[in-house]
Amino acid sequence: MAETTSPHLEIHERQPSNSLVIEGGIPLHGSHELQGAKNLALQLTAIALLADGPVTLNNVPNIRDVQTNIDIINGLGGEASFRSGKRLIIDAANISSSNVNARRALESTGSRYYIPALVRRNGYMTTGPSGGDDIGGGDRYQLSDKTLELYRAMGIGGRKISDSNGIEVFEFVGIPGDHELKQANRYFGPTMQALIAFAKNEHGDTMRVINPSIEPEVTETVRMLRAMGADIHYSQKGREVGEDYFEIRGEDRLSGVEFDVMSDPNEMVTYAAAAIATNGDLEITNVDYSQKTEVFFDILRKMNVIYEYDYKNKKLELYPSRDHLKPVNLAADFWPAVCHTDWQQLLTPVLAMANGESIVSDKVYPSRFTSVDALTHMGADLTVINPQVIKINGSRGFQFSHGELNLPHDVRGASSVLIAALAANGRSVIHGVDQISRGLEDAPGSLRKLGAHIQEL
């Protein structure tokens, strides 16, 4: 299968270096404006394929995963390009192909959302499994039986066929009818794919997703689909026991729309953690208030971090707090939770500086402590109790040692090591920075503006 390269990508700046030299120990200071939410933007680019007219997405982050999705759309015959900074225009009118390059699919977690979109649009598609973060175990190059079962529940059948380059690709065929998906946990991906698969179809097929994900990125997706004309109802009855549901009744037409992408809560946590770890004084702007921001503020209070949040101006101010941090226990779980799974690794280097023992658990993935080896190499006292639980023996005055490190293949795990290097005593060299650029827009440049000493190799 030939590689597809779109001329639209030429307007983007060059790809960042894959290695960085960081002189650590310098407090961050200044102001940083949050980008749009990565996890929301990725699925909205796929939803644009269902529209009968152009879709305009505002506040879209110019990151590698988004660029990969733009390349996928253009490779299918559509038109997608950035205009005026963070304004992304997508016109799917000329899409005729349903063949997503398998190697492209492996570059982004968001490629999975093209499966239900293209099945509903063209009746089938072929691709490889989505890639991106190497977390959760299993073979990244194979769709699991559980995933295939999910697609069957959504009315999408699949069979494996072999590609000439040796990567398995898959063919999906839409099956009309009414469906119900009852989830054991509030899974984000299946909820999102069900919304995409059933929002538009000429048969009026319906899907009821029981115990759905209710993360802000999901509710924002529902808001955009409704603006496009989708018929989606949420019943919160029985929410405490997992009996709430989305009911999606397919419409035969969805219109083009202009939509603003919310700010990225994961980037907020990343820069906040970097400020705390370096004992900095940082203002973070464009912080949209949501259930996620309030939960994060609660974590900050428990850690004894000094901060202020200006609701009117959407501004978070963090003050030097490293010398009086308190340990906390973080239990990452399916949302709503006391800690999001994307945050636990970002906060681990901060807890290494808190005076006492912290326990961090993650029930969402079977093994997502991808930064533990690197942080331990840099001097953190971390103990893996089991693949889903670690213990952090923090101490006041602890400072990471410098080193040369390979970043894990996980946006949040790689960012965790970056935070440690920013706080470390001395010069660190980190390799594999492309993982960070998948989720954070020009992190080296943004950190330099905040006073960090970073050189790209």
Side-chain angles (χ1 to χ4, degrees):
M1 188 176 291
E3 189 75 19
T4 303
T5 302
S6 168
H8 292 277
L9 293 182
E10 294 178 1
I11 67 172
H12 296 296
E13 297 179 358
R14 67 180 178 84
Q15 291 291 334
S17 165
N18 205 27
S19 298
L20 296 176
V21 178
I22 301 172
E23 292 285 352
I26 301 171
L28 297 185
H29 176 76
S31 181
H32 175 73
E33 181 179 0
L34 286 188
Q35 65 185 36
K38 164 185 176 285
N39 290 339
L40 176 60
L42 294 180
Q43 58 234 21
L44 297 188
T45 63
I47 288 172
L49 273 58
L50 301 175
D52 294 329
V55 169
T56 300
L57 300 175
N58 298 316
N59 196 36
V60 176
N62 187 353
I63 55 178
R64 282 188 60 228
D65 271 14
V66 168
Q67 292 181 20
T68 297
N69 283 19
I70 290 173
D71 201 11
I72 287 174
I73 293 172
N74 292 327
L76 293 169
E79 297 182 8
S81 62
F82 276 105
R83 313 274 177 84
S84 304
K86 301 179 184 298
R87 187 178 179 90
L88 179 62
I89 312 294
I90 302 172
D91 189 344
N94 294 323
I95 286 181
S96 57
S97 173
S98 278
N99 304 314
V100 172
N101 183 281
R103 293 193 181 278
R104 281 282 185 242
L106 283 171
E107 295 175 7
S108 170
T109 55
S111 62
R112 72 191 70 179
Y113 301 117
Y114 289 87
I115 296 172
L118 286 170
V119 167
R120 282 304 186 184
R121 181 186 174 97
N122 296 337
Y124 77 98
M125 80 164 295
T126 62
T127 186
S130 64
D133 297 318
D134 187 5
I135 55 178
D139 186 351
R140 298 175 69 211
Y141 302 94
Q142 298 283 342
L143 283 182
S144 67
D145 290 338
K146 182 177 180 180
T147 302
L148 291 173
E149 182 180 350
L150 161 67
Y151 286 134
R152 286 192 292 270
M154 293 196 309
I156 300 174
R159 64 183 178 87
K160 298 180 181 180
I161 59 177
S162 292
D163 186 17
S164 59
N165 62 16
I167 296 177
E168 291 285 331
V169 295
F170 302 84
E171 183 177 58
F172 296 88
V173 181
I175 305 171
D178 296 340
H179 304 272
E180 181 177 279
L181 177 62
K182 184 173 177 59
Q183 301 193 121
N185 292 295
R186 294 187 182 275
Y187 296 115
F188 180 90
T191 299
M192 194 59 60
Q193 295 202 51
L195 288 167
I196 298 171
F198 282 82
K200 179 180 181 179
N201 64 84
E202 66 275 16
H203 305 289
D205 304 343
T206 64
M207 164 63 87
R208 178 173 289 191
V209 184
I210 303 171
N211 196 32
S213 171
I214 49 176
E215 294 192 35
E217 290 86 345
V218 173
T219 56
E220 284 293 286
T221 298
V222 170
R223 191 165 70 87
M224 176 168 150
L225 283 168
R226 285 173 175 164
M228 295 170 69
D231 184 358
I232 303 173
H233 169 70
Y234 174 65
S235 172
Q236 64 179 356
K237 184 178 180 180
R239 176 171 165 175
E240 297 79 8
V241 292
E243 294 179 357
D244 56 324
Y245 61 86
F246 281 118
E247 186 163 278
I248 313 143
R249 183 174 297 276
E251 296 288 343
D252 61 353
R253 290 179 59 86
L254 294 179
S255 62
V257 70
E258 183 168 351
F259 191 80
D260 295 336
V261 177
M262 62 180 273
S263 63
D264 195 326
N266 295 330
E267 193 198 23
M268 171 190 66
V269 177
T270 302
Y271 278 85
I276 299 167
T278 61
N279 207 33
D281 182 352
L282 180 64
E283 175 188 81
I284 304 177
T285 63
N286 191 35
V287 179
D288 289 324
Y289 180 79
S290 70
Q291 183 190 43
K292 278 189 174 180
T293 51
E294 185 54 51
V295 168
F296 179 58
F297 295 162
D298 186 56
I299 293 173
L300 292 180
R301 288 190 289 269
K302 291 177 180 177
M303 293 173 62
N304 206 29
V305 173
I306 305 171
Y307 78 95
E308 292 179 347
Y309 178 64
D310 183 340
Y311 291 84
K312 181 179 179 180
N313 296 306
K314 302 195 300 183
K315 184 167 59 177
L316 173 63
E317 186 83 26
L318 295 142
Y319 303 100
S321 301
R322 189 176 63 188
D323 294 339
H324 50 262
L325 290 175
K326 293 182 178 179
V328 297
N329 294 334
L330 298 179
D333 207 337
F334 295 93
W335 196 261
V338 298
C339 180
H340 194 273
T341 180
D342 283 332
W343 301 350
Q344 50 93 351
Q345 294 197 93
L346 300 172
L347 294 171
T348 293
V350 178
L351 291 177
M353 302 174 177
N355 197 38
E357 179 183 286
S358 299
I359 301 295
V360 179
S361 61
D362 193 324
K363 295 183 180 180
V364 179
Y365 292 96
S367 179
R368 200 187 179 177
F369 298 115
T370 61
S371 64
V372 165
D373 287 346
L375 296 181
T376 301
H377 181 76
M378 299 175 75
D381 188 354
L382 309 179
T383 303
V384 178
I385 297 175
N386 64 55
Q388 291 183 292
V389 180
I390 63 171
K391 180 174 69 174
I392 305 170
N393 290 313
S395 60
R396 185 174 293 117
F398 168 75
Q399 191 168 27
F400 287 96
S401 59
H402 63 276
E404 183 166 357
L405 303 155
N406 292 315
L407 298 182
H409 294 283
D410 168 23
V411 170
R412 309 310 164 192
S415 299
S416 174
V417 180
L418 171 64
I419 291 167
L422 289 168
N425 181 22
R427 175 179 294 186
S428 295
V429 180
I430 58 176
H431 305 292
V433 183
D434 57 332
Q435 288 300 316
I436 295 174
S437 66
R438 284 186 41 244
L440 299 178
E441 184 174 342
D442 189 21
S446 296
L447 290 168
R448 276 194 290 266
K449 291 178 182 178
L450 299 176
H453 290 187
I454 298 178
Q455 177 185 354
E456 299 176 61
L457 294 180

